[in-house]
Amino acid sequence: MKRVGFVTLGCKVNIYESNALKNELIKRGYQVGEPTEDCDAFIINTCSVTNMADAKSRRMIHRLAKLNKDAVLCVMGCYSQTNPEALLLEGIDVLVGNGNKLDIIPMLEDSLFHKDIAKQINILDILQHREYEPLEVTSYDHTRAFVKIEDGCENFCTYCIIPYARGPVRSKPAADVIKEIKRIVSEGYLEVVLAGIHTGRYEDHGLHLSDLLERILKEIPGLKRLRLSSIEINEVDDKFIDLMKSSTILADHLHLPLQSGSDLILEKMERKYKSQFFYEKIEKIRKARPNISITTDVIVGFPYETEAEFKNTLEFIKKIKFSKLHVFPYSVRKGTKASTFPQISDAVKKDRTRILLDLSKTLEESYAKKFIHQNVDVILEKSTSLEEMMGHSSNYLEIYVPKDEIYLRKNVCVSIESYQDGKLRGRILEERS
């Protein structure tokens, strides 16, 4: 049996795509696992979101090329797509970009069984690519299952390379999404997460994201929880909010990237909203779901971010009262408009990052403590020790309970009793039907 070592770098969409390819390789009789010296082939699914991600992708290519020089080395994904230098790297036998990742399997087999074959390259003109690649995962490692529903982005924010790596928006047909989730639920999974590069831009023959959510909720009665990986604030429409108000299946959590609370910086980033619009939409969401967890991304040290602009962001975050911040010091990405802007020193970025991380810790603790002495539904995912199990609530809080494996991978009602060392702990009251 031929053995393929797999490495995935980057986002949840990459993880989904890698898992789909792993499932296909297993169906074809391959053994798939971590890269080791005895592998017959390696596949690296690369990331290119920052210069650092590029460097990490290159290091992984060099490492696996040295690990077993006789193994077929296949490289695919965003780094392949955006970096012409990938064509020149030594040791690569198969090079594939985005939009056609399924092609890597027959190309791998050609190189595996025909050792004299030349390097194979298949890089699409991704900016002209309009077809959704029909990848589907058929087995999952965790309690929640991810379903990729969309690919591509057309926002062209000044700091971001992703539109050039992933191409224009294209979506999985709604019928295929419904079919995939029905299969997942029939296999006993309780939670599904919808993922994409720009999930909020989902569109299938006039059917948009909120329409898709409505269909899922109506047509798949066994689904216990439906979550979105991320959505832009200007894509949360009234229908979406109405669905949140009427359905407890939709998770009590939204990840809404802010990036900056300064209108000047939002303009320089070429984001598609202003801070007041963001605030007013949050208010509408909270009227529908008063206890919702709203998490966000923030970029610090973006060009033109003066001390005053940073303070605007700081105060805006406090005003919104997010439940958690994902903080990213701005990293210059070659090929983007912002790479030509005047840059801020690393020392300033580091200091501002620390301030926001401290604020995030305070916000997380404040939000979590609201649920002490309350009952919440938790899907228990794993044992964390001999004494405890952990799961997530609908609002994506980590909840720890005394270990009782009869409840593992079940939806249970938990009474929250304490918050210590950054963890909510409680006891199981009952299993939910």
Side-chain angles (χ1 to χ4, degrees), residues 8-18 45-49 78 101 146 162 166 195-197:
T8 303
L9 305 173
C11 65
K12 289 181 174 68
V13 172
N14 262 11
I15 293 169
Y16 179 91
E17 293 169 344
S18 290
N45 195 358
T46 60
C47 178
S48 189
V49 68
C78 294
K101 287 182 174 177
F146 284 83
I162 295 305
R166 285 281 179 172
I197 300 300

mmCIF file of all heavy atoms in Angstrom, residues 8-18 45-49 78 101 146 162 166 195-197:
data_model
loop_
_atom_site.group_PDB
_atom_site.id
_atom_site.type_symbol
_atom_site.label_atom_id
_atom_site.label_comp_id
_atom_site.label_asym_id
_atom_site.label_seq_id
_atom_site.Cartn_x
_atom_site.Cartn_y
_atom_site.Cartn_z
ATOM 1 N N THR A 8 -1.092 20.444 5.854
ATOM 2 C CA THR A 8 -2.014 21.529 5.515
ATOM 3 C C THR A 8 -1.639 22.776 6.301
ATOM 4 O O THR A 8 -1.549 22.739 7.527
ATOM 5 C CB THR A 8 -3.469 21.141 5.831
ATOM 6 O OG1 THR A 8 -3.803 19.953 5.119
ATOM 7 C CG2 THR A 8 -4.418 22.254 5.425
ATOM 8 N N LEU A 9 -1.420 23.859 5.593
ATOM 9 C CA LEU A 9 -1.116 25.145 6.209
ATOM 10 C C LEU A 9 -2.291 26.096 5.975
ATOM 11 O O LEU A 9 -2.974 26.018 4.958
ATOM 12 C CB LEU A 9 0.155 25.737 5.594
ATOM 13 C CG LEU A 9 1.400 24.839 5.624
ATOM 14 C CD1 LEU A 9 2.540 25.473 4.824
ATOM 15 C CD2 LEU A 9 1.845 24.565 7.050
ATOM 16 N N GLY A 10 -2.544 26.977 6.949
ATOM 17 C CA GLY A 10 -3.527 28.021 6.709
ATOM 18 C C GLY A 10 -4.911 27.767 7.259
ATOM 19 O O GLY A 10 -5.081 27.192 8.337
ATOM 20 N N CYS A 11 -5.920 28.159 6.485
ATOM 21 C CA CYS A 11 -7.279 28.369 6.983
ATOM 22 C C CYS A 11 -8.134 27.104 7.008
ATOM 23 O O CYS A 11 -7.728 26.035 6.553
ATOM 24 C CB CYS A 11 -7.971 29.415 6.113
ATOM 25 S SG CYS A 11 -8.208 28.874 4.401
ATOM 26 N N LYS A 12 -9.358 27.267 7.538
ATOM 27 C CA LYS A 12 -10.308 26.144 7.625
ATOM 28 C C LYS A 12 -10.730 25.638 6.246
ATOM 29 O O LYS A 12 -11.041 24.461 6.087
ATOM 30 C CB LYS A 12 -11.546 26.572 8.435
ATOM 31 C CG LYS A 12 -11.281 26.735 9.928
ATOM 32 C CD LYS A 12 -12.553 27.130 10.660
ATOM 33 C CE LYS A 12 -12.339 27.149 12.176
ATOM 34 N NZ LYS A 12 -11.424 28.230 12.589
ATOM 35 N N VAL A 13 -10.759 26.524 5.259
ATOM 36 C CA VAL A 13 -11.096 26.085 3.908
ATOM 37 C C VAL A 13 -10.011 25.157 3.378
ATOM 38 O O VAL A 13 -10.302 24.127 2.756
ATOM 39 C CB VAL A 13 -11.303 27.294 2.969
ATOM 40 C CG1 VAL A 13 -11.449 26.849 1.519
ATOM 41 C CG2 VAL A 13 -12.531 28.084 3.396
ATOM 42 N N ASN A 14 -8.757 25.494 3.630
ATOM 43 C CA ASN A 14 -7.661 24.599 3.249
ATOM 44 C C ASN A 14 -7.802 23.241 3.937
ATOM 45 O O ASN A 14 -7.578 22.192 3.327
ATOM 46 C CB ASN A 14 -6.311 25.223 3.618
ATOM 47 C CG ASN A 14 -5.648 25.904 2.435
ATOM 48 O OD1 ASN A 14 -6.264 26.101 1.394
ATOM 49 N ND2 ASN A 14 -4.398 26.272 2.585
ATOM 50 N N ILE A 15 -8.163 23.273 5.221
ATOM 51 C CA ILE A 15 -8.331 22.018 5.971
ATOM 52 C C ILE A 15 -9.437 21.176 5.349
ATOM 53 O O ILE A 15 -9.287 19.962 5.158
ATOM 54 C CB ILE A 15 -8.627 22.312 7.453
ATOM 55 C CG1 ILE A 15 -7.403 22.956 8.122
ATOM 56 C CG2 ILE A 15 -9.031 21.039 8.192
ATOM 57 C CD1 ILE A 15 -7.676 23.513 9.504
ATOM 58 N N TYR A 16 -10.548 21.816 4.997
ATOM 59 C CA TYR A 16 -11.657 21.105 4.359
ATOM 60 C C TYR A 16 -11.200 20.475 3.048
ATOM 61 O O TYR A 16 -11.456 19.298 2.770
ATOM 62 C CB TYR A 16 -12.821 22.066 4.109
ATOM 63 C CG TYR A 16 -14.010 21.417 3.429
ATOM 64 C CD1 TYR A 16 -15.036 20.861 4.172
ATOM 65 C CD2 TYR A 16 -14.091 21.357 2.038
ATOM 66 C CE1 TYR A 16 -16.132 20.265 3.553
ATOM 67 C CE2 TYR A 16 -15.177 20.759 1.404
ATOM 68 C CZ TYR A 16 -16.190 20.215 2.171
ATOM 69 O OH TYR A 16 -17.258 19.609 1.554
ATOM 70 N N GLU A 17 -10.517 21.259 2.215
ATOM 71 C CA GLU A 17 -10.075 20.758 0.914
ATOM 72 C C GLU A 17 -9.081 19.615 1.067
ATOM 73 O O GLU A 17 -9.151 18.615 0.333
ATOM 74 C CB GLU A 17 -9.469 21.904 0.102
ATOM 75 C CG GLU A 17 -10.500 22.950 -0.294
ATOM 76 C CD GLU A 17 -9.909 24.207 -0.873
ATOM 77 O OE1 GLU A 17 -8.687 24.427 -0.698
ATOM 78 O OE2 GLU A 17 -10.657 24.978 -1.491
ATOM 79 N N SER A 18 -8.173 19.741 2.026
ATOM 80 C CA SER A 18 -7.222 18.658 2.277
ATOM 81 C C SER A 18 -7.939 17.388 2.715
ATOM 82 O O SER A 18 -7.608 16.280 2.265
ATOM 83 C CB SER A 18 -6.203 19.072 3.346
ATOM 84 O OG SER A 18 -5.325 20.053 2.854
ATOM 85 N N ASN A 45 -0.525 21.430 1.156
ATOM 86 C CA ASN A 45 -1.550 22.415 0.810
ATOM 87 C C ASN A 45 -1.114 23.728 1.451
ATOM 88 O O ASN A 45 -1.166 23.880 2.671
ATOM 89 C CB ASN A 45 -2.919 21.964 1.327
ATOM 90 C CG ASN A 45 -4.054 22.746 0.704
ATOM 91 O OD1 ASN A 45 -3.839 23.644 -0.091
ATOM 92 N ND2 ASN A 45 -5.280 22.384 1.062
ATOM 93 N N THR A 46 -0.682 24.674 0.646
ATOM 94 C CA THR A 46 0.035 25.845 1.141
ATOM 95 C C THR A 46 -0.875 27.034 1.439
ATOM 96 O O THR A 46 -2.030 27.084 1.030
ATOM 97 C CB THR A 46 1.083 26.293 0.104
ATOM 98 O OG1 THR A 46 0.403 26.611 -1.123
ATOM 99 C CG2 THR A 46 2.110 25.207 -0.138
ATOM 100 N N CYS A 47 -0.289 28.001 2.145
ATOM 101 C CA CYS A 47 -0.964 29.253 2.501
ATOM 102 C C CYS A 47 -0.104 30.415 2.026
ATOM 103 O O CYS A 47 1.127 30.305 1.953
ATOM 104 C CB CYS A 47 -1.160 29.318 4.015
ATOM 105 S SG CYS A 47 -1.937 30.846 4.609
ATOM 106 N N SER A 48 -0.766 31.551 1.709
ATOM 107 C CA SER A 48 -0.024 32.713 1.228
ATOM 108 C C SER A 48 -0.609 34.011 1.757
ATOM 109 O O SER A 48 -0.407 35.076 1.172
ATOM 110 C CB SER A 48 -0.042 32.728 -0.314
ATOM 111 O OG SER A 48 0.818 33.699 -0.832
ATOM 112 N N VAL A 49 -1.324 33.943 2.890
ATOM 113 C CA VAL A 49 -2.052 35.112 3.367
ATOM 114 C C VAL A 49 -1.112 36.245 3.788
ATOM 115 O O VAL A 49 -1.460 37.421 3.693
ATOM 116 C CB VAL A 49 -3.015 34.726 4.518
ATOM 117 C CG1 VAL A 49 -2.266 34.311 5.772
ATOM 118 C CG2 VAL A 49 -3.995 35.848 4.797
ATOM 119 N N CYS A 78 -2.499 28.243 -2.258
ATOM 120 C CA CYS A 78 -2.343 29.691 -2.423
ATOM 121 C C CYS A 78 -0.917 30.114 -2.719
ATOM 122 O O CYS A 78 -0.683 31.033 -3.514
ATOM 123 C CB CYS A 78 -2.889 30.413 -1.184
ATOM 124 S SG CYS A 78 -4.676 30.228 -0.981
ATOM 125 N N LYS A 101 -7.830 21.587 -7.401
ATOM 126 C CA LYS A 101 -7.026 20.755 -6.506
ATOM 127 C C LYS A 101 -7.257 19.263 -6.708
ATOM 128 O O LYS A 101 -6.385 18.448 -6.406
ATOM 129 C CB LYS A 101 -7.285 21.165 -5.049
ATOM 130 C CG LYS A 101 -6.642 22.507 -4.694
ATOM 131 C CD LYS A 101 -6.850 22.896 -3.243
ATOM 132 C CE LYS A 101 -6.050 24.162 -2.930
ATOM 133 N NZ LYS A 101 -6.263 24.634 -1.550
ATOM 134 N N PHE A 146 -17.314 20.481 9.131
ATOM 135 C CA PHE A 146 -17.225 21.678 8.308
ATOM 136 C C PHE A 146 -17.736 21.373 6.908
ATOM 137 O O PHE A 146 -17.445 20.318 6.348
ATOM 138 C CB PHE A 146 -15.784 22.179 8.236
ATOM 139 C CG PHE A 146 -15.329 22.883 9.481
ATOM 140 C CD1 PHE A 146 -14.870 22.164 10.575
ATOM 141 C CD2 PHE A 146 -15.385 24.263 9.564
ATOM 142 C CE1 PHE A 146 -14.464 22.809 11.723
ATOM 143 C CE2 PHE A 146 -14.970 24.919 10.717
ATOM 144 C CZ PHE A 146 -14.512 24.181 11.798
ATOM 145 N N ILE A 162 -5.602 37.550 -0.926
ATOM 146 C CA ILE A 162 -6.480 36.400 -1.144
ATOM 147 C C ILE A 162 -7.278 36.470 -2.456
ATOM 148 O O ILE A 162 -7.430 35.439 -3.129
ATOM 149 C CB ILE A 162 -7.410 36.195 0.068
ATOM 150 C CG1 ILE A 162 -6.580 35.811 1.307
ATOM 151 C CG2 ILE A 162 -8.448 35.113 -0.201
ATOM 152 C CD1 ILE A 162 -5.687 34.592 1.114
ATOM 153 N N ARG A 166 -7.303 33.181 -4.660
ATOM 154 C CA ARG A 166 -8.513 32.351 -4.714
ATOM 155 C C ARG A 166 -9.439 32.689 -5.876
ATOM 156 O O ARG A 166 -10.334 31.904 -6.192
ATOM 157 C CB ARG A 166 -9.276 32.487 -3.393
ATOM 158 C CG ARG A 166 -8.640 31.734 -2.230
ATOM 159 C CD ARG A 166 -8.972 30.269 -2.325
ATOM 160 N NE ARG A 166 -8.365 29.478 -1.256
ATOM 161 C CZ ARG A 166 -8.634 28.201 -1.051
ATOM 162 N NH1 ARG A 166 -9.500 27.565 -1.821
ATOM 163 N NH2 ARG A 166 -8.041 27.533 -0.096
ATOM 164 N N ALA A 195 -18.412 27.113 5.871
ATOM 165 C CA ALA A 195 -17.149 27.819 5.689
ATOM 166 C C ALA A 195 -16.960 28.239 4.241
ATOM 167 O O ALA A 195 -17.531 27.652 3.315
ATOM 168 C CB ALA A 195 -15.985 26.928 6.129
ATOM 169 N N GLY A 196 -16.159 29.259 4.050
ATOM 170 C CA GLY A 196 -15.803 29.730 2.718
ATOM 171 C C GLY A 196 -14.741 30.792 2.847
ATOM 172 O O GLY A 196 -14.332 31.164 3.946
ATOM 173 N N ILE A 197 -14.273 31.283 1.718
ATOM 174 C CA ILE A 197 -13.312 32.383 1.727
ATOM 175 C C ILE A 197 -14.036 33.703 2.002
ATOM 176 O O ILE A 197 -13.575 34.548 2.751
ATOM 177 C CB ILE A 197 -12.556 32.452 0.382
ATOM 178 C CG1 ILE A 197 -11.788 31.136 0.140
ATOM 179 C CG2 ILE A 197 -11.604 33.642 0.355
ATOM 180 C CD1 ILE A 197 -10.745 30.801 1.195
#
